[in-house]
Amino acid sequence: MAVTAAAVLGACAAVPALPTSTAAALSHGPARLGAPASVVDCRITKCVALTFDDEPTQYTAAVLDALERQRGVATFFLIGPHALQYRKDVVRQQRDGDAIGDHTVTHPHLTRLTPARIDYELETAAGQIASVTGHRPTLFRPPFGAWNAKVRAAAGAEGLSVVMWSVSSKDWKYHNAHLVEQRVLARVRPGAIIVLHDRYATTPPAVPHIIHALKARGYVLVTVPQMFATTGGLQPGVVYHHGP
């Protein structure tokens, strides 16, 4: 398991929760046909995890369509108010076997905030996400990849593992689908955690090509929890950059 504490380069109205029975059914619903089994040994399998930040957005449905067509899974990091706004997409992610994580309420630079404000960002977003899914997330990605000891401590107290990345698409900088695809494919390695953002219209068109190319190279798409399932699982307050 690759774990490091090194620095990384690089107000909503209440919404009724799903009925308990419905939420439970969704959380244990079938994964996409052809998606990997719940346990994949990524020490011997060429695993790769696609992750998407700032979720969900008006473009999320297109990403989910691409994943469904190619029988892939991904990990989505949700901004709390966005989860409330695009509830259907969140339910669809959960139903399809994708993993869902916390990405705060207002997407701030957490390292610049007080511990109390950091707690608010993580805890409130977790509650907003849970109001849709029926489950509080156990994964967390800090906005801008900005974390320090106090952010890590807050995540641990909230029961959240800090999930970073080893491959950046830089789709926030290069609004060009072909270039995004090229950057990912040039840098991917077994155990890679790839970060993308479907808030940009130019990212979803790259996703089908990325998935197709990864599969052609023998990679198996897994969620972040699947990637670490056979190496002790993810632990709260621990920072993960890439798989085993």
Side-chain angles (χ1 to χ4, degrees):
M1 179 188 306
V3 180
T4 179
V8 176
L9 296 176
C12 298
V15 178
L18 291 173
T20 301
S21 59
T22 303
L26 287 171
S27 67
H28 296 92
R32 293 185 179 93
L33 181 64
S38 58
V39 177
V40 180
D41 192 340
C42 292
R43 294 168 298 184
I44 58 177
T45 300
K46 286 178 63 176
C47 292
V48 62
L50 294 177
T51 69
F52 294 84
D53 287 2
D54 307 344
E55 289 284 312
T57 73
Q58 60 183 317
Y59 304 117
T60 297
V63 171
L64 295 176
D65 289 343
L67 287 166
E68 287 185 1
R69 284 193 300 268
Q70 301 200 54
R71 302 177 179 179
V73 290
T75 302
F76 295 94
F77 291 93
L78 277 54
I79 293 175
H82 292 196
L84 301 181
Q85 181 179 359
Y86 295 96
R87 293 172 63 93
K88 289 183 179 179
D89 290 325
V90 177
V91 170
R92 184 179 174 189
Q93 290 166 353
Q94 189 178 32
R95 180 197 66 208
D96 287 349
D98 299 311
I100 292 172
D102 188 324
H103 201 48
T104 74
V105 177
T106 65
H107 202 272
H109 280 273
L110 293 174
T111 57
R112 302 173 184 173
L113 304 183
T114 64
R117 181 68 189 189
I118 295 170
D119 290 343
Y120 165 81
E121 288 285 343
L122 273 59
E123 183 176 356
T124 302
Q128 291 169 329
I129 293 166
S131 75
V132 181
T133 65
H135 301 275
R136 296 180 75 84
T138 59
L139 309 176
F140 166 65
R141 175 166 286 161
F144 311 103
W147 65 274
N148 56 15
K150 63 182 179 180
V151 173
R152 181 177 176 181
E158 188 63 29
L160 298 167
S161 303
V162 182
V163 180
M164 298 300 295
W165 59 84
S166 58
V167 176
S168 173
S169 65
K170 290 198 175 181
D171 53 356
W172 51 269
K173 181 178 181 179
Y174 303 108
H175 297 172
N176 179 300
H178 182 61
L179 184 55
V180 167
E181 175 190 349
Q182 285 185 319
R183 282 190 56 83
V184 169
L185 297 178
R187 292 161 176 77
V188 68
R189 300 289 186 275
I193 299 175
I194 300 167
V195 61
L196 298 122
H197 306 74
D198 68 17
R199 65 185 295 177
Y200 307 110
T202 47
T203 296
V207 174
H209 301 287
I210 290 171
I211 296 174
H212 178 78
L214 289 173
K215 289 193 169 186
R217 295 184 186 184
Y219 283 97
V220 175
L221 271 64
V222 296
T223 64
V224 172
Q226 285 174 328
M227 182 170 281
F228 293 93
T230 55
T231 54
L234 297 164
Q235 303 301 317
V238 176
V239 181
Y240 300 85
H241 292 270
H242 55 82

